[in-house]
Amino acid sequence: MKKLFFTLLLSVSVLSINAQTKEELQAQKSEKQAIADAAQGEANALQAKIDALPGWRKGAFGTIGGSLSGFKNWYAQEAANNNSGNIGLTVNAFANLIEDKFFWRNSLTTNLNWVKLDDTSNNTDEDKDFNPTTDVFNISSLYGRNIAKNLAVSGLAEYRTTLLDNFNDPGYLDVGVGLTWTPVQNLIVVVHPLNYNFVFADGDSVFESSLGAKIVADYTRQIGAINFKTNLSAFQSYKSGDYSNWTWTNSFSYTLWKMIGVGFDFGLRNNKQEALNYSIETLGNTGETFDSVDNDLQTYYTFGLSYKF
């Protein structure tokens, strides 16, 4: 009985010591965490001051998505023997010079995708290479002279086209002047009532350049491991609404480990000139006009691994 009593007493003592030790460790952890939180707050405040200093701000992030597959004697599908693949690449980059009296903001957005389907059992199948599907390229340069705290007189040059297929056919170059409003940090709103939309296209086409108004809204920000960018670029033609267009692109990435994470991109576009050109040149509807064409909303998306440069 004595041995059993001392054994129980020793066990209770050990449990009591362990419990006290755990409580002490938790208290120490809470103290250290409070110190760390205070230090992080001070670091964030210092970073905000650094970000507000005049000078260059540069950055880039992107998304890479892809898949490769091969089938042999897979009779459940029409092409029982095939090799297929899909590859996508998105890059968002910026280089901004911010000074007390002026700013110069430059940005690049590109989204490229390729797809391949090789039916290895079909000798007449000639489409064995990766072919472009999504093809977006946009570069812009905005210069402004401040006339108030959040308002500037500005000039913008923006060029949009495709890179992989039909380069500069069509291509769009907007050049204009007006005002730029920066109501909050990272948000840029451009309103240029005097803007000329140059449209480049080969041969006899439906594309036409015109004078109009340019509106751009861009918000680019990094919050911890999250990077995101949203950009709306619109042109309203004074000649005809048929020559107006707008594009809205969005990019998100979340860093999981070091520079690697996951990303998602999607875009919307409305362009009646492109819709009419596609109907005539691709679908063969030679009698199509601006009044009869279905100007459906254009969309794309890419999901995959992301990399922060």
Side-chain angles (χ1 to χ4, degrees), residues 56-302:
W56 283 98
R57 288 106 161 121
K58 302 176 183 179
F61 66 96
T63 302
I64 300 175
S67 65
L68 297 173
S69 62
F71 291 87
K72 185 175 182 180
N73 301 327
W74 197 262
Y75 300 120
Q77 59 190 18
E78 182 178 354
N81 302 282
N82 73 78
N83 297 315
S84 63
N86 181 69
I87 301 173
L89 172 66
T90 300
V91 176
N92 297 279
F94 65 89
N96 301 330
L97 177 60
I98 310 299
E99 297 291 346
D100 293 332
K101 296 183 179 180
F102 71 92
F103 58 80
W104 183 26
R105 299 176 178 271
N106 305 277
S107 66
L108 167 70
T109 299
T110 182
N111 188 306
L112 308 175
N113 278 268
W114 297 263
V115 66
K116 169 186 176 181
L117 176 59
D118 177 17
D119 187 350
T120 58
S121 60
N122 185 358
N123 295 328
T124 62
D125 180 20
E126 299 179 355
D127 194 10
K128 299 181 179 181
D129 298 327
F130 280 92
N131 297 310
T133 52
T134 305
D135 192 355
V136 177
F137 178 82
N138 184 303
I139 187 170
S140 67
S141 183
L142 174 68
Y143 179 84
R145 300 287 299 188
N146 297 325
I147 58 176
K149 181 179 180 181
N150 298 319
L151 193 65
V153 177
S154 57
L156 171 70
E158 181 186 72
Y159 178 66
R160 307 182 307 282
T161 186
T162 56
L163 291 179
L164 305 177
D165 192 17
N166 298 327
F167 174 73
N168 204 41
D169 183 24
Y172 305 89
L173 175 63
D174 281 294
V175 179
V177 294
L179 297 175
T180 294
W181 180 42
T182 54
V184 297
Q185 188 178 9
N186 303 312
L187 175 60
I188 308 297
V189 179
V190 179
V191 180
H192 285 179
L194 184 59
N195 180 92
Y196 199 83
N197 178 238
F198 296 92
V199 184
F200 310 99
D202 295 336
D204 184 15
S205 67
V206 300
F207 296 101
E208 185 172 338
S209 304
S210 63
L211 181 69
K214 183 71 174 180
I215 299 175
V216 177
D218 184 278
Y219 190 76
T220 304
R221 189 175 181 183
Q222 176 182 350
I223 304 177
I226 300 174
N227 287 276
F228 63 91
K229 175 185 178 68
T230 180
N231 179 278
L232 173 65
S233 178
F235 170 73
Q236 179 62 50
S237 174
Y238 294 148
K239 185 175 183 178
S240 171
D242 294 333
Y243 303 138
S244 302
N245 62 78
W246 59 266
T247 302
W248 183 32
T249 58
N250 300 269
S251 298
F252 304 88
S253 72
Y254 182 79
T255 304
L256 298 173
W257 177 73
K258 293 186 177 180
M259 298 295 184
I260 300 175
V262 293
F264 177 68
D265 297 81
F266 73 92
L268 307 174
R269 174 181 288 175
N270 183 285
N271 190 314
K272 202 168 187 178
Q273 293 182 90
E274 291 180 351
L276 179 56
N277 182 71
Y278 178 80
S279 180
I280 295 175
E281 300 296 334
T282 304
L283 301 182
N285 300 324
T286 55
E288 197 79 85
T289 65
F290 279 114
D291 294 330
S292 62
V293 69
D294 291 329
N295 185 23
D296 296 329
L297 184 66
Q298 305 175 44
T299 66
Y300 75 81
Y301 72 90
T302 301

Side-chain angles (χ1 to χ4, degrees), residues 6-21:
F6 283 116
T7 300
L8 292 174
L9 181 61
L10 180 60
S11 299
V12 172
S13 301
V14 170
L15 291 174
S16 177
I17 293 173
N18 288 337
Q20 292 176 355
T21 301

